[in-house]
Amino acid sequence: MNDKEASSLGTHKMFLPIFIAVAIALRLYSASISIRHERSLKADGAVEHGAANTRLLALAHVAFYLSAFAEGLGDPHPFDAVTVAGLVFYAGAMVMLAVVVRLLGRLWTVKLLIARDHALVTHPLFRLVRHPNYFLNILPELIGLGLVCHAFYTLAIGLPLYLIPLVIRIRQEEMVMSLTFKAY
């Protein structure tokens, strides 16, 4: 290993714990928003759908994060183009999360809830991408996390496994929304 490679490896060893702390903090913050919205919606009579799958999806999300963290910390890699690509994916995903939360407002939760006064959000983003929270936030987030951590086993095994409850969620959401809104 030359001096440049050693320096890059040292940089990634210092960077990765900071990235992990930031990623955890962002997810805890978004969870707190979801919980606040959920409590308010349920107090106003919202109905939850697909609760068992929501728990499975949350478990899959936590498992993916923990696996990527373990893989990244257990087998350190240099701060390289893969790390940078992961950061770009992850940062873009977090921006999209903020956009989706803003557009959905009090209706955004990690659960599939239909409020008594639920209004269909018709912003162009939702017409362009049917499920922006899943396709522009969650999937790029997981890919970015895996790349930053150089967690290729997690990406190769964990991402396909994650897709199982995610596809179920999308199908559940499609069904509930089409039954609730004629314009959907």
Side-chain angles (χ1 to χ4, degrees), residues 4 12 21 44 47 56 61 64 77 80 83 133 135-136 150 160 174 178-179:
K4 184 177 179 184
H12 197 257
D44 288 340
V47 176
L56 185 59
H61 209 84
F64 190 96
H77 287 82
D80 59 7
T83 309
N133 193 54
F135 295 117
L136 301 179
H150 288 225
E174 285 290 316
S178 64
L179 291 173

Side-chain angles (χ1 to χ4, degrees), residues 100-122:
V100 169
V101 170
R102 185 181 169 281
L103 291 174
L104 290 177
R106 69 180 187 86
L107 299 175
W108 182 83
T109 71
V110 298
K111 296 186 175 182
L112 181 49
L113 295 168
I114 299 294
R116 286 186 307 134
D117 63 343
H118 207 113
L120 183 63
V121 176
T122 59

